[in-house]
Amino acid sequence: MCGFLYARLHKNNDPVFGQIFHEALQLMQYRGPDAFDVHHHDHHYFGHVRLSILDLSHHSNQPLLFSNGILLFTGEIYNYQQLVNDAKSDTLALAHMLSQGIDISQKLNGMYAILFYNLITKTTTILRDFYGEKIVYYYHDQHVFIASSTIKSIRYILRSFYQKDLIINKLALYEYLLCGFVREPHTIYEDIKVLAPGHQLIFSSNELVINNNHLSLLTNATLTPREYIDLALSTYDVRPSLLLSSGVDSTYLLSLIQGRKVDFNLMTYKAPQKIHDESAIATDHVKKICGSEVRSFNILENHDSIDELFDQYHKLLEQPSSDGINLFNILSMFRQIDIKAKLIFLGVGGDELYGGYQSFRNYKKFYLLRSLPMIQYAVKKYQRFNYLSDQNTTPELYYFLYRSCPFFIRFLPGDIQLKLFNQFHQEMKKYQSQTNIRSRIKRCETFDYMRNQLLRDVDNTSLYCGFEARNPLLSTMGYLLPADFKTSMKLHLKRKHDLSFTRKKGFTFSPLNRNFSEILIKKIIALHLTYPIFSPSILDELILACRTNFNLLSKVYNLLAWLNTNQADIGEDACLLFG
């Protein structure tokens, strides 16, 4: 788990550029504290920072040069030993295959972003994994092509060398307030894009081509979900940790890890408010699965200073996010307990692939409400389903409205609603899906919410805290299986450990001090003086709603604080977006 930066100049080199490139790479050094290196070849600049998980020696440091190319790679390839028998790491396995001219695009199991420059063909190729666990941002104009694990590094090069400041994508501001995230392939900045999951970018002679490999990756998937999980849980050279909630997904992973009889850390979160606290249930699961065999089980509480936690959070984000604060809270506290830990397993993916969300069950209500519009007006939480009423009733429309914020959708202009929906719908068409309703909802939950919210938050937050976060449930073949409401995992846990599950409490961040909401509200009012994106009347209504809705409150604060921290240029016409 690392970070890389690459730049290809279209004109003659400038000695100043090399220094600026070096400084830009330093901005992501938190992603890889174990090694830092830069290589310059002709008009190409390669930079890499490394968090070593496999092969802790210097032999797997990057950029990695070999006979016919230069490699940059972030992530983990779990099946590298099956691909190259005597390879000491996935990095060295990739280098071996590429040096032999082997097409790696259909052979890899894991999470990855790979950049390979071919010295013979003068072609740069970038690959991104099936689900998009590892992100690649890129920028291209008549002067330069830049690919990076972070937006901050791209922005630094553009501002410092080209005196170019990036403009905020106004449509992305609407999208963030509506959904809580900015949808790929777009970003919060107009000129920076994201390579989509399962896609391949080829850059040669100033021409950029993007190929969709999603279907071929599905077709060539060979590992069953259980085989993939076993590899993900066993491929490392450091002591692993597991973040446990009271839910099925992480408990299932705990059962499999315990069955391997390996040494590992275990942690869970104790919320200060009983209504949100799952730690007692999680502790009971640990006793039933592990008995007295767990050496390290940490029950983590809130950060000592919630105000400081929030201030740090929006500074680490590449783009504003409405979620992820609890993961940051948990990992920050765990880092204080264990300064050497590097690898954490998470249960991300179970809800999306196997039907854990209520969205898989509630679509029947949606169809009923669309046919009885008066019910939508009578039941407040269903009112958002009344929007885009001229569109055909489809699973995609249902999901889009289901994931839309009930507060902001009321103020969003109809043409903007439609534009955002069409943009989302077109993006979903890139990904294979069966025609039944549940499979189409699964596609949306997987390649929209999980990809744009959860995986992006996990990547940002875990690496900022010095951890590689793995998601063993995200096997490619798992996408082909039915969303069966986690029946097979529940059966395993029932038969082996006599565990049953009720609806989770949420495993969400819960500040104990109720006055903290008022602190954030005061900050929102102050920040809004600099970034006045709401009219006075809407701001008054928003503040009132935030007093009873902490998720809405943190969403608005994170946006305004992020804009302020990054000195973002939203333009005069972006003020009063909701006016």
Side-chain angles (χ1 to χ4, degrees), residues 368-564:
L368 173 64
L369 292 169
R370 294 287 279 191
S371 64
L372 301 171
M374 293 307 296
I375 294 180
Q376 298 172 45
Y377 293 109
V379 183
K380 189 174 182 179
K381 69 176 181 178
Y382 294 136
Q383 287 177 0
R384 64 187 183 275
F385 291 132
N386 187 51
Y387 295 92
L388 294 170
S389 56
D390 58 337
Q391 299 298 302
N392 291 332
T393 301
T394 64
E396 290 74 24
L397 179 63
Y398 155 72
Y399 166 84
F400 181 83
L401 295 174
Y402 185 89
R403 284 289 179 189
S404 294
C405 175
F407 180 88
F408 283 114
I409 198 170
R410 295 186 292 129
F411 303 106
L412 200 66
D415 60 327
I416 299 296
Q417 291 180 25
L418 183 59
K419 189 171 184 178
L420 289 174
F421 171 68
N422 287 336
Q423 192 170 273
F424 151 77
H425 198 191
Q426 284 300 118
E427 183 66 16
M428 289 301 98
K429 291 179 180 178
K430 293 180 181 177
Y431 307 102
Q432 187 75 11
S433 173
Q434 298 178 28
T435 57
N436 66 78
I437 291 174
R438 196 180 296 174
S439 294
R440 289 165 69 178
I441 295 172
K442 175 177 178 172
R443 173 175 62 180
C444 296
E445 290 288 6
T446 300
F447 289 104
D448 188 60
Y449 177 69
M450 183 180 78
R451 158 197 178 187
N452 292 304
Q453 183 80 76
L454 299 184
L455 294 181
R456 193 184 301 162
D457 288 341
V458 165
D459 181 70
N460 273 322
T461 304
S462 61
L463 284 167
Y464 185 85
C465 295
F467 300 103
E468 171 188 293
R470 284 192 192 176
N471 309 299
L473 295 176
L474 292 183
S475 69
T476 301
M477 196 171 287
Y479 184 66
L480 296 171
L481 298 179
D484 63 352
F485 307 119
K486 307 184 185 181
T487 299
S488 58
M489 287 191 284
K490 290 177 181 177
L491 282 174
H492 168 92
L493 293 168
K494 180 65 177 177
R495 290 170 178 171
K496 193 163 186 178
H497 308 291
D498 195 27
L499 293 180
S500 299
F501 295 84
T502 58
R503 188 170 178 177
K504 284 180 64 177
K505 295 183 178 182
F507 204 61
T508 55
F509 180 75
S510 173
L512 177 61
N513 186 356
R514 294 182 180 179
N515 292 329
F516 180 66
S517 294
E518 290 301 319
I519 294 173
L520 286 189
I521 287 172
K522 289 178 181 178
K523 289 185 176 184
I524 286 174
I525 294 171
L527 290 166
H528 195 261
L529 296 175
T530 305
Y531 294 98
I533 59 178
F534 306 113
S535 69
S537 61
I538 293 178
L539 181 62
D540 289 342
E541 190 172 343
L542 175 62
I543 294 302
L544 186 64
C546 284
R547 286 196 164 96
T548 57
N549 187 334
F550 187 79
N551 290 334
L552 179 64
L553 172 61
S554 60
K555 174 198 285 188
V556 176
Y557 171 74
N558 284 341
L559 173 62
L560 293 174
W562 185 92
L563 290 171
N564 186 63

Side-chain angles (χ1 to χ4, degrees), residues 47-64:
H48 192 270
V49 293
R50 183 183 179 208
L51 177 67
S52 53
I53 304 295
L54 287 169
D55 181 19
L56 307 185
S57 76
H58 69 277
H59 297 294
S60 295
N61 290 352
Q62 303 172 50
L64 193 60

